Amino acid sequence: MTTGPAALPGLTGRLLDLLGPGGVITDPVRLRTYECDGLTYHRATPGVVVLPETAEQVAAVVRACHETGTPFVARGSGTGLSGGALPRTDGVLVVTSRLRRILELDIPNRRAVVEPGVTNLAISEAARPYGYYYAPDPSSQQICTIGGNVAENSGGAHCLKHGFTVNHVLAVELVTPQGEIVELDAMDPGYDLLGAFIGSEGTLGIATKITVRLSREPESVTTLLAAFPDVESGGVAVSAIIGAGVLPSAIEMMDALAIEAAEAAVRCDYPAGAGAVLIVELDGPVAEVAHEFAQVERLCRESGAFAVRVADDPARRAAIWKGRKSAFAAVGRISPAYLVQDGVVPRTALPAVLAGIEELSARYGIRVANVFHAGDGNLHPLVLFDDAEEGAAERAETVSGEILDLCLRHGGSITGEHGVGVDKSRYMTKMFTEEELDTMQLVRCAFDPAGLSNPGKIFPTPRLCGEAPGVRKGVHPLVASGEADLF
Ligand SMILES: Cc1cc2nc3c(=O)[nH]c(=O)nc-3n(C[C@H](O)[C@H](O)[C@H](O)COP(=O)(O)OP(=O)(O)OC[C@H]3O[C@@H](n4cnc5c(N)ncnc54)[C@H](O)[C@@H]3O)c2cc1C
C-alpha cells in the first residue's frame, strides 16, 4: 500500500467513495478558502478538504489517513488566532461545519449534547427560553465552534467568575487518531483523560460530540464603567477589587489607544480624557450584587477613577460593552495591520508589565493598544504596524515576542486562551524545559503514536514517537528510569 505524501491522490479517491463529491473539496481555488485561520500570517493550501456529516464519516476519514500515514487537521470555523487549524499541504483538512446539530437539551440535568460544529452562541440561544445559557463566552462566540473551543480550552470576558471551557465540558466523544470512536467522561474513574483532551489543540483526535454544562441565567447583572487617568491606576483598582474578596463576573480593561480606536469605529462615548477604562460586571442575586457593587465603586474611586457610569438594564449595559466588544476590529480603523498577542501575568504584575509594553512600544516605534481580561491577568496587546512599510511587520513580530518574554519574566505564560498552535510553538522552550516538553510528548504519543493528528503544532521540535524520532539527543529521564516507553 502507498503511504506518506505519495498516498494523497489514492486517498482522495477513497474519500470520494466515503463522502461523495459534495463532501470532498479538491478544486485548487476552493481549497484556498481554508489556507489559514484567524492568524493570516501563516498559510498553507490543504491537500484535500473533507466535509463529513456524521461521526462515523469522521472516523472513516481518519481511519483512511491512519492506514496511509497521511496527516490530518481538524477545523471548526477557523477563527483561531494561533494557527492551530493551519492545514497541511500533504494532508487532509477535516472541517466540522456540517456536524452542527444540537442533539439534546437536558434542562433537568442542566446539560446539552451538541455536535462539534455548533457555534458557541447557538447553545446559549437554544437554552435561553428555559432560563439557562452556556457560560464561556469568547468574543468570537457568534461564529466559533464548540469543537474549536474544546480544542483551545477557550475563555472569554466572563471566565473570571464562571470558568473556562474545561469547567463546562462534561463529556466528549472523539475519533482517535487511529479512527476509533471513544467517549471520555468527567465521571470516568482513573486518569482525567477528558482534561487532557480539552486544550490539546486537535493533537489527540477529533471531537465529534460534546456534552456541556448549562448555567442558570443570573437574577441580576450590573455593569460599571470606570475611567482612570492611566493604566497603572486601573491596574491598582483590579488588585483592590479582587483583594477585597469580590469576584466580578468580568473585569476588562482598555488603554487610551484602544479607546481611541473604539471611539473612531463605533462612537462608544467613553468618558473624555481617560487613559484607561475598566468595565466591571457583577452578576448574581439582587442583594449580593448591590452590596458588592457599592464596594467596587468605592475601590475604583479610591484607586483614582475620575468618572463612573452604572448600567443595570440590557440596553445601557450593551452601550458600555460596545466599545470593548468592537475593539479588535476597531483597531483596523487606526492601523492598516496588527498582530493580536495573548499572554498572561499575575494580576499584581499588571502595572509593571503594561509599563514594560509601553517601553517596548517606544523603543521599536510600534504602537501597541491594550484590550484585555484584567481580572485574569490575560493580556491581548494589539501590535499595530503598516504592512506597506519596509521591515514594519518584522518589528511588530519582534515586539510581539518581547511582550511574551516580559510576561514570562513576571511569572506568567505565553498563552491565556488562544492556544500555542504553530505560531507560538517556538516560545515553548522559553517556558518549559526539554524534559517537560518530552513528558508532554509522551502523553501525545499515548494517543497518537504515529503523530498524524495536527502535527507541527504546540511543540517546537517534534521529538519522540512518530513525528521525527531521534531528533533529541539523549534519553528522556522517564525512559531511562524505565517508567515510560518510546513508541
Ligand atoms: C475576533 C476574535 C475574537 C476572539 N476572542 C476570543 C476570546 O475572547 N477568547 C478565546 O478563548 N478565543 C478567542 N478567539 C479565538 C478563537 O475564536 C477561539 O480559539 C475558538 O475556540 C476557535 O474556534 P474555531 O471553531 O474557529 O476553531 P478553529 O480555528 O477552526 O480551530 C482551532 C483549533 O481547534 C482544533 N479543532 C477544531 N475543531 C476541532 C474538533 N472538533 N476536534 C478537535 N480539534 C478541533 C483545530 O485543529 C485548531 O487546532 C477570538 C478570535 C477572533 C477572530
Side-chain angles (χ1 to χ4, degrees):
M1 190 194 314
T2 317
T3 57
L8 203 55
L11 176 66
T12 303
R14 194 164 155 192
L15 297 175
L16 281 164
D17 289 343
L18 289 170
L19 306 180
V24 181
I25 300 175
T26 52
D27 169 34
V29 176
R30 289 181 67 204
L31 286 178
R32 292 198 60 193
T33 308
Y34 301 96
E35 67 184 8
C36 64
D37 61 9
L39 187 73
T40 54
Y41 190 71
H42 301 278
R43 290 175 188 268
T45 308
V48 56
V49 170
V50 294
L51 301 158
E53 291 181 340
T54 63
E56 288 69 28
Q57 286 185 344
V58 175
V61 168
V62 171
R63 257 194 317 274
C65 290
H66 176 64
E67 282 165 24
T68 53
T70 307
F72 59 90
V73 178
R75 175 182 165 114
S77 295
T79 65
L81 291 170
S82 56
L86 182 77
R88 296 270 301 208
T89 49
D90 59 348
V92 179
L93 187 71
V94 183
V95 179
T96 62
S97 53
R98 287 185 175 167
L99 289 148
R100 52 163 182 260
R101 287 175 302 161
I102 293 184
L103 300 169
E104 192 187 350
L105 262 187
D106 179 1
I107 298 299
N109 288 308
R110 298 185 170 201
R111 30 173 248 155
V113 184
V114 303
E115 291 186 325
V118 169
T119 63
N120 173 298
L121 191 61
I123 304 176
S124 290
E125 281 171 348
R128 192 163 298 128
Y130 306 94
Y132 288 86
Y133 74 113
Y134 176 64
D137 59 343
S139 305
S140 53
Q141 66 180 160
Q142 290 188 352
I143 41 169
C144 67
T145 68
I146 188 72
N149 291 179
V150 167
E152 299 288 9
N153 188 20
S154 295
H158 293 88
C159 290
L160 172 63
K161 178 173 178 182
H162 298 292
F164 283 70
T165 302
V166 69
N167 307 113
H168 297 267
V169 171
L170 302 170
V172 169
E173 175 195 273
L174 68 117
V175 169
T176 68
Q178 296 73 38
E180 229 186 298
I181 299 180
V182 301
E183 174 116 6
L184 301 176
D185 194 302
M187 302 298 275
D188 287 342
Y191 295 117
D192 181 11
L193 297 181
L194 177 63
F197 186 80
I198 297 169
S200 60
E201 303 189 29
T203 59
L204 304 184
I206 302 183
T208 45
K209 190 165 76 182
I210 296 148
T211 305
V212 296
R213 187 193 305 282
L214 296 176
S215 303
R216 192 94 177 103
E217 294 269 15
E219 192 179 295
S220 77
V221 183
T222 301
T223 310
L224 166 148
L225 178 86
F228 293 85
D230 45 47
V231 285
E232 286 75 18
S233 49
V236 170
V238 174
S239 292
I241 293 166
I242 303 286
V246 177
L247 186 56
S249 54
I251 310 184
E252 299 285 300
M253 198 193 290
M254 292 167 70
D255 72 3
L257 192 52
I259 299 168
E260 180 195 322
E263 290 292 355
V266 296
R267 293 177 190 276
C268 47
D269 194 26
Y270 288 168
V277 293
L278 270 191
I279 296 174
V280 185
E281 192 154 277
L282 295 155
D283 67 17
V286 175
E288 180 186 304
V289 168
H291 172 70
E292 291 188 338
F293 174 77
Q295 274 180 286
V296 169
E297 186 175 8
R298 177 176 54 76
L299 292 167
C300 282
R301 291 197 189 278
E302 283 174 8
S303 308
F306 63 84
V308 172
R309 265 182 219 163
V310 185
D312 52 12
D313 69 80
R316 288 170 61 218
R317 285 181 37 230
I320 287 183
W321 277 105
K322 191 168 151 190
R324 166 65 184 92
K325 294 212 166 168
S326 64
F328 278 23
V331 164
R333 289 279 185 126
I334 60 164
S335 174
Y338 64 93
L339 298 173
V340 182
Q341 193 46 282
D342 169 47
V344 184
V345 294
R347 268 185 300 262
T348 45
L350 276 174
V353 172
L354 289 166
I357 293 176
E358 213 172 300
E359 193 268 314
L360 281 172
S361 164
R363 178 151 34 110
Y364 287 94
I366 290 268
R367 293 187 300 166
V368 181
N370 287 292
V371 182
F372 56 101
H373 308 311
D376 293 305
N378 185 186
L379 296 159
H380 287 320
L382 303 167
V383 183
L384 317 191
F385 64 99
D386 182 351
D387 39 3
E389 187 191 320
E390 176 94 21
E394 289 72 21
R395 270 186 298 136
E397 188 61 28
T398 305
V399 168
S400 196
E402 290 214 14
I403 290 174
L404 291 183
D405 285 339
L406 193 60
C407 292
L408 289 174
R409 281 204 300 281
H410 283 84
S413 160
I414 59 166
T415 173
E417 54 180 11
H418 293 173
V420 179
V422 72
D423 190 51
K424 294 193 185 180
S425 55
R426 62 191 184 280
Y427 301 115
M428 288 289 273
T429 48
K430 295 188 174 186
M431 191 161 169
F432 298 106
T433 63
E434 290 223 327
E435 282 69 26
E436 286 166 338
L437 289 169
D438 283 353
T439 303
M440 290 180 210
Q441 289 268 24
L442 288 171
V443 174
R444 195 255 164 89
C445 293
F447 280 77
D448 184 17
L452 295 177
S453 195
N454 210 1
K457 312 293 165 64
I458 304 180
F459 298 103
T461 3
R463 289 191 290 249
L464 306 177
C465 68
E467 284 200 315
V471 172
R472 178 175 197 271
K473 302 265 185 309
V475 181
H476 187 277
L478 288 176
V479 175
S481 67
E483 291 165 83
D485 271 334
L486 296 191
F487 290 90

